[in-house]
Amino acid sequence: MRILGLVLVSVVVGCGHHHEGATDAGSGPADACTDNLACFQYDCSLKNLPPTSVSGTVYAPNGTLPLYGVNVYVPESDPGPLTQGVSCDQCAAGLPGGAFVQTTTDEAGHFELDNMPATTGVPLVIQVGKWRRQLALPAVAACQDSPVDVADTTLPKSRTDLTPNSTGVDLPKIAISTGDADALECLVLKLGIDPKEISSSTGSGQINLFTDKSSPGVGASTFAAGWAGGTDPMTDSATLWGSTTNLSAYDILILSCEGDQYPATKPQAALQAVHDYAGIGGRVFASHWHNIWIGGDDTNAMHGLPDWEAVATFNFGGNPPDDPLHATIDETDNPKGMSFATWMVNVMGSAMRDDVLVSAPRDTCTSVDETKGEQWVFLDTTGASGRHYASTMNFQFTTPQDADPSMRCGKVVFSDMHVSADSTSTPGTPYPGGCSCELVGGAHDPLCTMPKPLTAQEKALAFMFFDIASCVGTIQ
């Protein structure tokens, strides 16, 4: 017979039981049922007591940004290791190991799991995509709530980020191509990823930085001396996106704006490789002039991907003379729009609901076909110059586009919203020297040991950064 801890026994005696073998509503676990978690579920309502629950708030690796839509569950069996490299992660497949009880975090990052088994060593999994922390809860007391410590509900910042209650942690494999007009590689640092996990593709980190060496818009291409992830030079992005095989080592591909399309470094074969990578489960996040992957070459109609071009209409316009601009979160055509808008208010990314103040805004996408993709953020505003803007700033679609939505595997996100105006990426400044960081001892810190807080638009991008990692359903 399994022995319950003393902390549980005094409460269990007063609780009803669901399992076979219970003798009456006031009994504890019967001898006939001691070998599975169902043996330790109690119907606390029979004694007018609250349910047995655990609760907490899930945070990004930085420990301060609460996250929406993260799965929290007690597995029925060992979830096992995650698949290495790109994979087709469909929501319909269910959670790894099955779910004994499950929930997802709300717009404040909060979760509560009711009808929990009241015993010791209860397994708990916190997961979105391949971000995962597995726990063994020391004790869950019956007919009351057991809060989970913040350290245990924060997504891992590294593969060694183990708390005393953690039994395992996982991070996705991410490739980031730098560009001199955006600095998405700085966002991962602000989100709390440990520097030792940010490296060249020849290093050991889970987040690998690449640079488009032949592009006039090349971004950071080296690492600062003393960087924990190593100082190997960054691999050419053309090597990465020139091969579906090379791309398939990664779960997520992030493309930082280079200031123009520069199609010479992105030949048709590369466009096809990225297209096919997304079709088998890859996730692609393209910033501004990386619109070439989706909207095609604005100077050559034969250079592009017809099925992706059908998703949205691009005008390939220049930079708006008005800066900043107020963008609007789409709550009408986006199934996650209401939650996104609520979350942005909760994390103080929006001073008013649906409003995002965007620094260095861009305006290259006119509209999205709502039967093919989702508009997340749009411009419908008049700037200080008197010019009116009406365009899509962020959108997402699932892939392959020619498959039934229920059978799709990948996601593509486009953003005309740069990371922020105060982070830069140039080949002359080793990473993370261009990132927005606090001074150390009154001087610039080339290792950015204290990144500055997330801006409003960085919070919006962070929401999409974690959402793109999540499973694929019917236009997720």
Side-chain angles (χ1 to χ4, degrees):
M1 178 176 177
R2 188 171 183 179
I3 304 298
L4 297 181
L6 292 176
V7 69
L8 307 176
V9 172
S10 61
V11 183
V12 168
V13 169
C15 297
H17 231 294
H18 281 308
H19 69 77
E20 293 183 12
T23 55
D24 59 60
S27 68
D31 290 346
C33 183
T34 59
D35 60 353
N36 64 71
L37 292 173
C39 299
F40 303 101
Q41 285 181 307
Y42 302 90
D43 187 352
C44 302
S45 65
L46 295 176
K47 294 295 182 180
N48 295 317
L49 293 171
T52 303
S53 64
V54 298
S55 64
T57 301
V58 175
Y59 293 95
N62 62 11
T64 60
L65 185 71
L67 298 178
Y68 166 77
V70 178
N71 292 304
V72 184
Y73 70 104
V74 174
E76 294 176 330
S77 61
D78 183 356
L82 297 176
T83 303
Q84 296 299 303
V86 69
S87 58
C88 185
D89 179 17
Q90 295 176 328
C91 300
L95 297 167
F100 184 71
V101 291
Q102 68 183 90
T103 190
T104 56
T105 55
D106 64 16
E107 293 87 350
H110 182 76
F111 69 89
E112 180 176 315
L113 276 173
D114 291 334
N115 202 25
M116 285 285 290
T119 185
T120 58
V122 177
L124 188 72
V125 178
I126 298 171
Q127 181 173 1
V128 55
K130 291 185 181 179
W131 297 96
R132 182 171 73 171
R133 184 180 293 279
Q134 298 183 76
L135 303 165
L137 302 179
V140 176
C143 305
Q144 60 183 281
D145 183 61
S146 298
V148 184
D149 189 78
V150 169
D152 286 331
T153 60
T154 297
L155 293 183
K157 58 177 61 71
S158 73
R159 288 165 292 172
T160 58
D161 183 17
L162 293 167
T163 64
N165 295 325
S166 296
T167 57
V169 293
D170 297 276
L171 281 73
K173 188 80 169 174
I174 301 174
I176 302 177
S177 178
T178 67
D180 73 349
D182 205 354
L184 285 170
E185 66 272 20
C186 295
L187 180 62
V188 295
L189 203 59
K190 286 191 173 188
L191 289 174
I193 306 302
D194 193 309
K196 69 184 179 183
E197 292 288 3
I198 306 172
S199 71
S200 169
S201 64
T202 57
S204 60
Q206 283 291 94
I207 289 82
N208 295 163
L209 304 191
F210 293 77
T211 188
D212 191 2
K213 292 182 178 181
S214 299
S215 169
V218 61
S221 56
T222 59
F223 292 91
W227 182 249
T231 57
D232 289 358
M234 298 177 194
T235 303
D236 194 341
S237 301
T239 302
L240 172 68
W241 60 50
S243 163
T244 303
T245 299
N246 291 345
L247 287 165
S248 294
Y250 296 93
D251 302 297
I252 302 171
L253 170 65
I254 296 176
L255 304 168
S256 295
C257 179
E258 299 174 357
D260 209 329
Q261 287 190 333
Y262 300 118
T265 68
K266 306 163 190 72
Q268 186 65 30
L271 268 60
Q272 192 64 47
V274 171
H275 173 278
D276 294 348
Y277 160 74
I280 58 175
R283 314 304 167 89
V284 181
F285 191 110
S287 169
H288 193 201
W289 284 112
H290 276 289
N291 53 30
I292 187 173
W293 306 94
I294 304 164
D297 185 342
D298 65 341
T299 63
N300 180 0
M302 301 301 292
H303 186 192
L305 302 165
D307 59 332
W308 285 18
E309 289 180 52
V311 174
T313 301
F314 284 85
N315 59 17
F316 303 111
N319 298 342
D322 295 299
D323 183 9
L325 284 174
H326 288 272
T328 303
I329 294 172
D330 191 337
E331 293 196 46
T332 303
D333 297 323
N334 186 341
K336 293 184 180 178
M338 293 182 64
S339 293
F340 182 25
T342 301
W343 181 86
M344 281 290 285
V345 171
N346 289 341
V347 301
M348 294 183 288
S350 293
M352 296 185 297
R353 186 176 180 88
D354 295 331
D355 182 76
V356 184
L357 185 63
V358 180
S359 175
R362 298 297 181 259
D363 185 26
T364 66
C365 179
T366 304
S367 61
V368 175
D369 183 338
E370 64 182 35
T371 68
K372 298 180 182 296
E374 301 167 349
Q375 178 176 258
W376 283 64
V377 180
F378 63 91
L379 289 173
D380 186 6
T381 187
T382 300
S385 69
R387 174 179 165 182
H388 186 76
Y389 301 89
S391 63
T392 295
M393 181 158 276
N394 300 86
F395 67 86
Q396 175 178 280
F397 61 95
T398 53
T399 57
Q401 276 281 300
D402 61 358
D404 184 88
S406 66
M407 300 301 293
R408 294 177 185 172
C409 292
K411 295 183 185 180
V412 179
V413 169
F414 172 76
S415 175
D416 256 345
M417 185 188 297
H418 283 186
V419 164
S420 70
D422 57 358
S423 286
T424 61
S425 183
T426 62
T429 303
Y431 176 79
C435 297
S436 176
C437 307
E438 303 290 355
L439 300 177
V440 174
H444 171 69
D445 177 15
L447 294 177
C448 195
T449 53
M450 293 189 295
K452 286 187 177 179
L454 292 159
T455 65
Q457 67 205 63
E458 286 174 335
K459 290 175 181 177
L461 292 172
F463 186 97
M464 288 179 274
F465 176 80
F466 287 102
D467 181 77
I468 198 176
S470 65
C471 63
V472 177
T474 301
I475 307 188
Q476 283 292 310

